[in-house]
Amino acid sequence: MEYILSHPFEILKMTGEHLLLVGVSTAIATLVGIPLGVFLTRRPAWSRWVLGAANVIQTIPSLALFGFLIPLPLLGGIGARTAVVALILYALLPIIRNTHAGIASVDPAIREAGVGMGMTDWQLLTRVDLPLALGIIMTGLRLATVISVGVATIAAAIGAGGLGMYIFRGVSMVDDQLILAGALPAALLALAADFLLGLLGRAVTRKPLLCMKLLAAGALAALAAGGAFLLASGGEAREARPIVIGSKNFTEQSILGELLAQRLERAGFKVDRRLYLGGTLICHNALVAGQIDAYVEYTGTAYTAILKRTPVSDARRVYDDLQKSYLEGFGVRLTRPLGFNNTFAIMVRGGDARRLGVKTISDAVAHARRWRAAFGVEFLEREDGYRGLAAAYGLDFAEPPKVMDLGLTYRALADGKVDLIAGDATNGLVSALDLFILEDDLGYFPPYEAVPFVRADALAGHAGLQEAIDSLGGVVSDETMQRLNYAVDGERRDLREVVGEFLDGLGR
Amino acid sequence: MGKGDFAVELEDVGFVLGNGKRLLDGVSLRLPAGETLVLIGRSGSGKTTLLKSINALLRPTSGAIRVLGRDLADWDPIRLRRQVGYVIQETGLFPHFTVEANVGLVPRLLGWDEGRIRARVQELLRLVGLDPDLFGARRPGQLSGGQRQRVGVARALAADPPLLLMDEPFGALDPVTRAELQEEFRLLRDRLRKSIVFVTHDIREALALGDRIGLMSGGRLLRVSAAGDFFQTDEPEVAAYRKVFA
């Protein structure tokens, strides 16, 4: 609650963004869904296909749907427009289905009386079908709205803003306060929408004709607002275009995104931040589609996850291969590596390392028979994880390694529950808990160097951009990255401040 | 239409469903203008199908139908239905319309101005024995069954149609209300001299209201007779009705 109480205006603004996303998308879904539902009652042969398609869309996980939409022209991209498109797709099913079911539930005798009196189909629809089905249609609208409030939190993954920003940041920083700052207003929003539409629904059964007119007017107004909104967000890209910086949705990535952004701002560029985008795939798609101009990627990730190559331990070769493939395939250039290597790191307690004089993994092999180890699931499963490591170094422990949540292994090591873990080289806890990273002296782990990936056309179009980004080459060591991560995650300090101080210290 | 014209003419009308089921079979009849023809028959005998064929709610598969002097094929069904009053059981009232809106429906569809509609609705409600000031603003749900049926008749008469189709209009009423409405209907009929096709399965109602009675069975029109002559035959189906009547 403290965060909510101390940032009331920011939360109000985010709630407003959220409401806009939900309102615009639900209005458009209503204007599309009700006519479509009506159409199905007139052409029953179509209903199986249309309802089936809407059903399928609703089963697509939202993050996947966003992923599909990003590369599409016009509908896709990064930002509110794509989110609105996805929200419309999700809201369609309940609206179409309830319109269809509502009209189907009208007493056939009443419809026949209407036809027998000489009503045209349009008159039957507007004076009999829709007014009598309105209660059920309103229930569908209510359902669609509540679903949208929930799904819209995920829209933050593609830079659409809204309350999801808090949730994503909160999850990445393991900060309950932040998660609540997003989840609580979202829940209240859902309840309020449900309540208000419920009231409207009851009013509807009393004065259906009046409510129909109001509803149509409301939806049209929202559509007009939405149209203006979409045009505005589309037009934005054509004006003197700022450089758009993206990042994935965890703390280290947001620090690196902010680092790029502030460095460019200090060099006089106008910057647009799109931090906390979903995962690797969303960032990559956005970069290739030109929705963002740059983000920081890890060479090993690009090599295996994007190019689908088998991991290689030669850092130079990986970098050169990527440079060539990305330029030819995607029109993207790699600038100078930032300096640190975010790979799996084999760690022991600092005290043990000093006492035993252990510096490398090879040094540790002799002691390992007396040690216990704990690893995250991923490291135990992956081909380039524990099995390969054990084979490469001839490692053998006192007992089979324990499986544990990766985040908990650091604490377990520091507390002496285990003696060796495979962690994240740049995790802020490494220095905070006095852990020691053993050198991978046989070069077993593939490199995960952090490198800004930048669109070639952005580099060509902005004089001085390449120099500004290259000036960050080599300035972030493993230890520096650990420190920055800890400042944000451990000390809960403000991201912009931490990055600003770091750049001040560099004198850049 | 002068005297001697027919409001409805059917010639050898047949209605066969896709699955081969015969709803109507060789039906021919003529309804002189201003007369009331009551169709009587058991459930499923085809009387409602015949009625709905007259205002083009159903399309028979063979034969010819002329309504108000014109072939059905030449009628725009929407325009036809606005000139043919249609009364069905009380469920046919629109539950979301007031009594006034229900009665004024067809005039409104025809584009009359509101003042004329209002005057006509008041006139009709009085004609069927309902006080417009008392009942005009109510919904059908706030009326008794008999009152609803009066509204249904008023609605069918609203645009002063020369032809009325009535499908068991009093079927759902209690016997006392039913007898009252039948009596009122008879007075109304004599006053307005509309052409009427009236469907019922109640022989007493048929004898009381019809100028002529048509007996239907299995999709066939077995016999059309003057109401007074209905029992003057050896037809076994008529014998069955004689038994219930006695």
Side-chain angles (χ1 to χ4, degrees):
Chain A
M1 288 308 285
E2 291 156 45
Y3 188 89
I4 299 181
L5 294 177
S6 60
H7 297 74
F9 292 108
E10 190 191 272
I11 288 179
L12 218 58
K13 179 175 159 276
M14 295 296 207
T15 308
E17 282 180 14
H18 207 86
L19 209 58
L20 191 69
L21 285 175
V22 172
V24 168
S25 55
T26 311
I28 297 177
T30 305
L31 287 173
V32 175
I34 291 183
L36 211 55
V38 167
F39 172 78
L40 295 186
T41 61
R42 266 61 185 171
R43 298 271 188 287
W46 288 62
S47 61
R48 245 181 71 207
W49 299 103
V50 174
L51 288 175
N55 257 321
V56 167
I57 289 174
Q58 195 135 58
T59 61
I60 302 175
S62 33
L63 212 53
L65 186 60
F66 288 136
F68 290 140
L69 286 175
I70 286 176
L72 297 184
L74 228 60
L75 298 180
I78 287 289
R81 192 168 32 178
T82 314
V84 165
V85 172
L87 289 176
I88 291 171
L89 289 175
Y90 281 121
L92 274 178
L93 177 68
I95 295 177
I96 297 175
R97 197 177 44 200
N98 280 39
T99 304
H100 182 250
I103 292 177
S105 75
V106 175
D107 184 347
I110 291 172
R111 300 193 75 224
E112 190 172 81
V115 177
M117 296 293 127
M119 284 186 168
T120 61
D121 192 48
W122 176 252
Q123 288 164 338
L124 188 69
L125 176 68
T126 53
R127 300 184 195 194
V128 178
D129 285 350
L130 285 179
L132 290 176
L134 211 52
I136 296 177
I137 295 176
M138 285 302 298
T139 309
L141 231 127
R142 218 167 133 186
L143 194 62
T145 310
V146 173
I147 291 175
S148 295
V149 171
V151 176
T153 57
I154 299 165
I158 51 164
L163 292 166
M165 289 298 285
Y166 289 121
I167 298 178
F168 276 89
R169 269 167 59 197
V171 168
S172 82
M173 293 169 61
V174 201
D175 184 340
D176 296 341
Q177 296 272 328
L178 267 180
I179 297 177
L180 274 182
L184 218 57
L188 288 177
L189 216 54
L191 286 175
D194 193 46
F195 176 72
L196 289 175
L197 286 172
L199 278 188
L200 192 61
R202 273 192 290 286
V204 150
T205 46
R206 278 195 296 276
K207 288 212 179 302
L209 291 172
L210 178 70
C211 288
M212 252 171 58
K213 284 173 199 154
L214 284 179
L215 210 65
L220 279 174
L223 184 71
F229 170 73
L230 291 189
L231 281 180
S233 63
E236 185 184 29
R238 280 187 286 279
E239 298 172 10
R241 222 188 103 122
I243 294 168
V244 187
I245 303 293
S247 88
K248 303 184 205 180
N249 55 356
F250 52 93
T251 303
E252 179 172 301
Q253 274 281 316
S254 63
I255 293 173
L256 296 174
E258 182 63 29
L259 180 65
L260 274 186
Q262 287 198 20
R263 178 68 193 88
L264 295 186
E265 279 170 347
R266 287 174 188 219
F269 291 101
K270 197 169 173 313
V271 174
D272 188 357
R273 291 171 176 76
R274 296 293 165 90
L275 309 185
Y276 291 99
L277 300 178
T280 301
L281 202 64
I282 286 183
C283 283
H284 175 73
N285 283 345
L287 185 68
V288 173
Q291 297 292 330
I292 59 176
D293 294 309
Y295 79 102
V296 176
E297 185 55 279
Y298 306 98
T299 53
T301 307
Y303 203 69
T304 56
I306 303 291
L307 298 184
K308 315 280 184 218
R309 309 252 176 99
T310 39
V312 167
S313 55
D314 182 349
R316 186 78 231 165
R317 202 181 119 200
V318 170
Y319 184 91
D320 290 344
D321 273 6
L322 283 173
Q323 185 69 280
K324 191 159 169 290
S325 304
Y326 262 71
L327 191 58
E328 285 168 4
F330 308 127
V332 167
R333 277 186 184 283
L334 281 65
T335 59
R336 289 180 60 197
L338 297 178
F340 69 92
N341 183 9
N342 184 357
T343 180
F344 282 117
I346 302 302
M347 303 177 192
V348 296
R349 277 179 296 278
D352 286 354
R354 287 187 290 276
R355 186 163 50 78
L356 301 169
V358 175
K359 290 202 167 53
T360 65
I361 301 177
S362 296
D363 293 345
V365 172
H367 306 284
R369 292 179 189 288
R370 285 177 283 110
W371 285 352
R372 289 154 306 163
F375 301 122
V377 180
E378 196 189 348
F379 187 73
L380 274 174
E381 297 286 319
R382 274 165 68 143
E383 199 50 50
D384 57 341
Y386 174 65
R387 264 174 296 168
L389 179 79
Y393 282 95
L395 257 180
D396 196 12
F397 295 100
E399 50 189 83
K402 288 189 174 59
V403 189
M404 211 182 256
D405 180 82
L406 181 63
L408 298 178
T409 56
Y410 302 97
R411 182 64 62 185
L413 177 61
D415 291 349
K417 302 264 194 322
V418 295
D419 307 295
L420 181 144
I421 63 171
D424 194 345
T426 56
N427 191 297
L429 292 173
V430 173
S431 45
L433 296 178
D434 183 27
L435 307 181
F436 184 84
I437 297 178
L438 299 175
E439 189 198 329
D440 177 19
D441 52 322
L442 296 184
Y444 167 73
F445 288 113
Y448 283 84
E449 290 182 303
V451 178
F453 282 37
V454 191
R455 287 181 60 84
D457 58 5
L459 291 174
H462 295 89
L465 182 60
Q466 172 98 48
E467 290 73 13
I469 297 178
D470 274 341
S471 74
L472 291 172
V475 304
V476 188
S477 65
D478 286 10
E479 291 71 28
T480 307
M481 196 65 240
Q482 285 170 16
R483 185 163 58 72
L484 296 175
N485 276 335
Y486 191 73
V488 175
D489 268 354
E491 296 166 4
R492 300 267 184 265
R493 293 190 52 205
D494 182 71
L495 177 66
R496 291 195 183 213
E497 252 178 55
V498 170
V499 171
E501 281 171 20
F502 171 68
L503 281 174
D504 288 345
L506 290 179
R508 294 200 175 112
Chain B
M1 280 197 317
K3 253 209 156 358
D5 288 337
F6 296 103
V8 179
E9 296 160 79
L10 276 75
E11 209 173 304
D12 199 21
V13 171
F15 195 155
V16 185
L17 289 182
N19 60 14
K21 192 169 184 250
R22 236 168 236 285
L23 298 182
L24 293 178
D25 187 3
V27 175
S28 297
L29 69 79
R30 286 177 164 184
L31 173 66
E35 276 202 8
T36 299
L37 169 69
V38 176
L39 293 173
I40 191 165
R42 305 176 187 225
S43 299
S45 60
K47 42 192 199 309
T48 294
T49 306
L50 179 55
L51 194 77
K52 287 182 181 172
S53 301
I54 295 171
N55 65 353
L57 284 176
L58 294 175
R59 296 280 177 175
T61 45
S62 63
I65 300 179
R66 283 170 73 79
V67 182
L68 302 176
R70 201 190 295 179
D71 263 1
L72 209 51
D74 298 335
W75 273 105
D76 167 11
I78 303 285
R79 292 195 51 187
L80 168 71
R81 290 172 194 146
R82 291 177 186 178
Q83 296 193 31
V84 176
Y86 185 45
V87 189
I88 56 179
Q89 285 190 5
E90 51 178 281
T91 48
L93 293 184
F94 298 126
H96 56 300
F97 279 18
T98 60
V99 165
E100 275 174 351
N102 265 293
V103 174
L105 177 74
V106 178
R108 200 158 275 126
L109 294 179
L110 289 169
W112 292 15
D113 69 65
E114 286 300 317
R116 190 173 160 212
I117 295 174
R118 178 178 297 269
R120 178 69 178 159
V121 167
Q122 302 221 336
E123 180 191 343
L124 280 166
L125 285 176
R126 284 197 199 94
L127 186 71
V128 298
L130 295 174
D131 180 350
D133 299 327
L134 209 57
F135 294 98
R138 294 198 192 172
R139 301 279 169 117
Q142 298 164 303
L143 303 178
S144 72
Q147 288 164 343
R148 276 202 287 273
Q149 210 48 61
R150 287 164 204 260
V151 175
V153 171
R155 181 173 70 171
L157 291 171
D160 200 16
L163 174 62
L164 279 182
L165 304 178
M166 309 182 80
D167 192 356
E168 298 192 32
F170 310 137
L173 301 178
D174 65 83
V176 177
T177 312
R178 188 172 193 171
E180 274 174 24
L181 273 167
Q182 285 171 352
E183 180 57 24
E184 285 173 33
F185 173 79
R186 229 148 53 90
L187 296 173
L188 207 60
R189 186 200 59 182
D190 293 345
R191 212 165 109 200
L192 303 174
R193 286 322 308 177
K194 303 274 182 198
S195 311
I196 299 172
V197 181
F198 190 111
V199 164
T200 183
H201 53 246
D202 177 354
I203 181 62
R204 287 163 203 279
E205 190 165 80
L207 290 169
L209 303 183
D211 294 316
R212 293 196 294 161
I213 297 178
L215 175 64
M216 293 199 69
S217 176
R220 303 185 62 89
L221 183 60
L222 295 181
R223 165 166 196 272
V224 181
S225 65
D229 298 338
F230 181 70
F231 290 124
Q232 309 301 314
T233 176
D234 297 332
E235 172 71 52
E237 193 68 15
V238 171
Y241 278 106
R242 189 184 295 125
K243 243 164 97 183
V244 247
F245 186 61

